Amino acid sequence: MQITAILTHLGFALFLALVSAGCVVLMIRFPILDHPDARKAHLHPTPKGGGVGVVVAFMIGMLALFVIADIARLVPLQFLGVILAALAMAGVALADDARDFRFVVKLAAQAGAAVVAVASGLVLERLAVPVLGEVQLGWFGVGLTLFWILGCTNAVNFMDGSDALVASVMLVASLALALISASEGAWFVYAASLFLAAGFAGFLPFNLPPARIFMGDVGSQFAGFVMAVLAVAAARFDASQISFLIVPLLLLGLLFDAGFTLLRRALAGERVSTPHRTHLYQMAVRAGVQPAHVAAIHAGFTVFHAILAAVFIQLAPAWKPAVLLPALAVQLLWAAWVLARMRARGLAFQ
């Protein structure tokens, strides 16, 4: 990519970051208030819905890509439908921020957007599996894609409960995905990741502890959905589609905590859809770790995962899944540390 093009892209990203910041300021001035309760960490009513800035910045970027870009033009219908579905889902999420819908309503909107993505052709068709080699997924690929999109969307949403945690992870992850995509010549994924990063760059300063505004479902669900779709698009980096693993690797800190918590609650016989405050990151805060430190730790995880993703690209297909092992080991150490700190403070998962 030429220097002139890089500077142009960075300039446009800066413009989008300023647009995002402007939208966040408006959401602070005309707030949707998030009132504290027993399962929330904040003590005073705080504006939410700051993710509107992320959505608006991303959509302006997509519009520019569709209308004037010379590269990374949208494939007719394939991505246009997905982007409109993401916008519709974000609209439902914003209404939920204002009115607090039941979970089934949010899940229905997410499922509708996921079905549009799959119907548009964004489906995992094959995966390289250790020992077995390349496996054709057939119809199982449709189910796996739907499960991944819904799982990623909700994992990011569930993890947005501590100042700057999700926003900092998303900023680092989307920047890393943009760089990796540029190196692979995947210009649509590069552009979409850059737009998402710009949106979070504009939002994050307002979300740093103590947060002036929260992202809300409108931002967390939208970001989770977009990253999930980009993971499927990134699968096309190679013939075996193993590059699908890049985004799960980048987001492993969020996915591990959400998965660990879901499994622990299910094994404990708890109703997993019931609101709670027993995620690992929440228990770390309750055990005395400052929210700023928790956010910094998760941002550090994501930087480490980005380095592993850069290594991942260079490895032979048979070895690529092994890159997940050191990332998973770090998450297990984090879980063990949080559990030990909880035990020392006499805390339990409740």
Side-chain angles (χ1 to χ4, degrees), residues 51-256:
V52 166
V54 177
V55 176
V56 171
F58 183 86
M59 288 299 169
I60 290 175
M62 286 291 106
L63 182 62
L65 197 66
F66 185 72
V67 174
I68 63 175
D70 293 326
I71 60 172
R73 292 297 297 272
L74 293 173
V75 176
L77 298 180
Q78 185 172 33
F79 287 108
L80 185 59
V82 175
I83 291 166
L84 293 177
L87 182 60
M89 186 192 70
V92 174
L94 180 60
D96 175 57
D97 284 331
R99 303 185 63 179
D100 197 16
F101 296 149
R102 291 185 302 162
F103 178 72
V104 66
V105 176
K106 295 185 285 188
L107 185 62
Q110 296 165 8
V115 168
V116 171
V118 169
S120 299
L122 286 170
V123 178
L124 289 168
E125 299 173 347
R126 66 189 75 86
L127 281 178
V129 180
V131 180
L132 298 178
E134 187 174 307
V135 176
Q136 297 292 328
L137 297 176
W139 280 104
F140 179 73
V142 174
L144 179 60
T145 305
L146 288 171
F147 175 80
W148 158 246
I149 293 174
L150 288 173
C152 184
T153 301
N154 281 289
V156 174
N157 181 222
F158 294 158
M159 289 295 289
D160 185 34
S162 186
D163 295 351
L165 194 160
V166 167
S168 59
V169 168
M170 281 294 166
L171 177 58
V172 175
S174 52
L175 282 174
L177 184 59
L179 291 172
I180 292 169
S181 303
S183 71
E184 295 297 303
W187 299 116
F188 176 80
V189 178
Y190 158 75
S193 303
L194 186 63
F195 300 157
L196 195 63
F200 277 106
F203 167 76
L204 181 58
F206 301 93
N207 191 232
L208 293 173
R212 296 173 58 191
I213 189 170
F214 301 142
M215 189 186 312
D217 283 0
V218 63
S220 58
Q221 288 188 37
F222 180 82
F225 178 83
V226 169
M227 288 296 280
V229 168
L230 292 180
V232 182
R236 302 177 184 189
F237 289 1
D238 54 56
S240 63
Q241 295 196 3
I242 199 170
S243 291
F244 162 75
L245 295 177
I246 292 173
V247 171
L249 174 59
L250 291 172
L251 299 182
L252 189 61
L254 304 183
L255 299 176
F256 177 87

Side-chain angles (χ1 to χ4, degrees), residues 4 12 18 27 41 76 85 103 122 163 178 199 214 223 240 274 291 295 301 313 342:
T4 302
F12 186 55
L18 293 174
M27 293 301 293
F103 178 72
L122 286 170
D163 295 351
F214 301 142
S240 63
T274 302
F301 290 156
I313 290 294
M342 287 172 55

Side-chain angles (χ1 to χ4, degrees), residues 292-345:
H293 295 162
V294 172
I297 288 168
H298 272 272
F301 290 156
T302 312
V303 170
F304 176 56
H305 299 157
I307 295 170
L308 292 177
V311 174
F312 175 98
I313 290 294
Q314 304 301 321
L315 294 177
W319 288 97
K320 286 185 175 183
V323 172
L324 292 170
L325 297 178
L328 184 59
V330 169
Q331 292 305 307
L332 290 171
L333 288 173
W334 163 247
W337 185 83
V338 172
L339 292 173
R341 193 173 178 92
M342 287 172 55
R343 192 176 301 113
R345 296 294 182 96

